[in-house]
């Protein structure tokens, strides 16, 4: 089985396993106690904090261990907003942040705060000028991920941090995907991360708050972890997290070169091997091991199941892989195709032979899914010189398949009106037009669902 989904969770690193087992024997006591066992536990905790702080590039007393990366985000956002409540109640996030950041933003809005969601370019990166323009005198906090978790695009953190510094606004960086590869450059103020992303155990997050940043931890607290993560520390997991972070960093430079070559091969070969594919994300400014592409006329969930049958574990941001049947917020914000979406995130040590086998298997799998899915005979009528396709009650990619089948039957300059009640069509039909060189004229309310208007150009 080839595990190609480390962007979700990386396998436990060998160093993490060794450190975890050792700390289970030596780090079980309360590190706040003064007797021998407590002092031994305190030494392990302090050493882990020093190691993690060195990897991050901060002071040890600026770093706290939390029960998860999500908890680090929620604590960091809430604490920074509370600490600067006299400045204002305005929060800035990018449109492609991890759900933990967006959920914090939603909670802030529900409590009466204001949130600006900065859009991104088609590559998934924010425009620095647009981000800077969102800063206001009442902005209490700005958030920006270091790299995107779905498409791998790196964000211009250093430039955004400089704009925030000039405006006197702290910047919180979610570094969950990138910290295993290196430090986050720039003058950020707060940083969060999660150990299971770099091969540490799950249940350990990092929260860094720079000295001088106004911060007021919310909720009940105690004397542990500077009052930012109450409760008894999971010391064995913390020790393993710090040890594995140091270990992966030692391998990072060499492994990044190797994985970049493998993902570059996937990016280049997939469009050659499989027709009607869009490779998404920035082709250059990206994490080493992530490559994402979307296949037209393919159901994402079915595609993932078929790849699993062939021995490949991959992920997807496709609308069809979630219970809500709505497109990934990341793909939606980028304006790219969501149907048949596949994210390949290669682990450290991924074999070139496994990548080659993936490239060998993929064309047949996609073709098989397309054949199984079929293309139902579209229900089309002519209405005032507009061809109307009724795809109501049919989930994507069916509306796009039906559009593709009839577009050639209308004259150049003619229009097709696609009726659909699937939220994913709002993203996939414009993306299809972009790929196929047709003009998307917009949408309008219909008696049932939504009507999407397309003009044939070629």
């Amino acid at each position: 089985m080839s595990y190609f989904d480390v962007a979700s969770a990386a396998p436990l690193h060998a160093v993490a396993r060794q450190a975890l087992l050792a700390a289970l024997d030596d780090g079980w006591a309360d590190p706040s106690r003064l007797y021998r066992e407590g002092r031994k536990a305190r030494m392990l905790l302090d050493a882990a904090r020093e190691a993690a702080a060195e990897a991050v590039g901060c002071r040890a007393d600026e770093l706290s261990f939390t029960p998860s990366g999500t908890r680090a985000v929620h604590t960091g956002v809430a604490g920074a907003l509370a600490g600067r409540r006299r400045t204002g109640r305005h929060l800035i996030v990018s449109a492609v942040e991890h759900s933990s950041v967006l959920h914090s933003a939603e909670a802030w809005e529900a409590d009466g705060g204001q949130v600006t969601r900065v859009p991104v370019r088609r590559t998934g990166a924010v425009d620095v000028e647009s981000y800077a323009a969102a800063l206001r005198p009442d902005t209490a906090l700005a958030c920006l991920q270091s790299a995107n978790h779905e498409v791998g695009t790196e964000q211009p953190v250093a430039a955004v941090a400089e704009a925030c510094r000039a405006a006197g606004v702290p910047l919180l960086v979610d570094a969950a995907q990138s910290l295993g590869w290196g430090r986050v450059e720039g003058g950020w103020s707060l940083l969060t991360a999660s150990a299971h992303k770099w091969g540490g155990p799950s249940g350990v997050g990092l929260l860094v708050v720079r000295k001088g940043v106004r911060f007021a931890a919310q909720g009940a607290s105690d004397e542990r972890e500077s009052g930012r993560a109450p409760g008894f520390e999971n010391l064995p997991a913390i020790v393993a997290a710090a040890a594995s972070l140091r270990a992966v960093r030692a391998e990072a430079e060499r492994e990044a070169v190797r994985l970049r070559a493998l993902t570059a091969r996937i990016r280049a070969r997939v469009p050659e091997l499989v027709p009607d594919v869009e490779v998404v994300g920035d082709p250059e400014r990206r994490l080493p091991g992530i490559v994402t592409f979307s296949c037209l006329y393919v159901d994402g969930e079915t595609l993932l199941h078929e790849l699993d049958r062939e021995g490949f574990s991959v992920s997807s941001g496709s609308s069809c892989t979630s219970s809500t049947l709505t497109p990934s917020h990341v793909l939606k914000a980028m304006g790219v195709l969501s149907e048949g979406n596949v994210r390949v995130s290669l682990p450290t040590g991924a074999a070139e032979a496994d990548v080659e086998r993936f490239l060998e298997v993929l064309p047949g799998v996609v073709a098989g899914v397309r054949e199984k899915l079929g293309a139902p005979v579209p229900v089309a009528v002519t209405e005032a010189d507009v061809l109307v396709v009724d795809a109501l009650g049919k989930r994507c990619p069916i509306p796009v398949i039906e559009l593709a089948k009839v577009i050639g039957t209308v004259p150049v300059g003619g229009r097709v009106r696609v009726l659909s009640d699937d939220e994913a069509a709002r993203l996939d039909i414009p993306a299809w037009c972009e790929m196929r060189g047709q003009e998307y004229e917009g949408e309008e309310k219909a008696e049932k669902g939504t009507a999407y208007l397309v003009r044939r150009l070629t």
Side-chain angles (χ1 to χ4, degrees), residues 10 72 87 120 142 161 258 398 434:
T87 299
V120 296
R258 203 178 66 82
I398 300 301
E434 177 82 17

Side-chain angles (χ1 to χ4, degrees), residues 21-88:
L21 293 175
L24 286 172
D25 290 332
D26 296 332
W28 51 268
D30 187 343
S32 67
R33 301 306 177 192
L34 299 180
Y35 43 71
R36 181 185 296 108
E37 293 85 356
R39 294 197 304 272
K40 184 182 291 185
R42 169 56 64 180
M43 290 175 62
L44 289 173
L45 180 58
D46 290 345
R49 198 184 313 278
E50 289 283 353
E54 181 183 6
V56 171
C58 67
R59 292 171 39 159
D61 58 354
E62 294 174 331
L63 185 147
S64 300
F65 293 107
T66 65
S68 69
T70 295
R71 174 53 59 192
V73 167
H74 291 172
T75 300
V77 171
L81 288 171
R84 285 174 49 83
R85 58 186 177 276
R86 292 184 179 178
T87 299

Side-chain angles (χ1 to χ4, degrees), residues 87-130:
T87 299
R89 293 179 58 79
H90 180 230
L91 169 67
I92 300 176
V93 300
S94 84
V96 294
E97 294 298 314
H98 187 269
S99 58
S100 60
V101 175
L102 298 183
H103 290 161
S104 289
E106 291 168 2
W108 182 242
E109 279 183 313
D111 193 42
Q114 293 181 304
V115 178
T116 296
R117 295 168 177 84
V118 180
V120 296
R121 297 190 288 264
R122 196 171 175 84
T123 61
V126 299
D127 178 74
V128 177
E129 288 72 24
S130 297

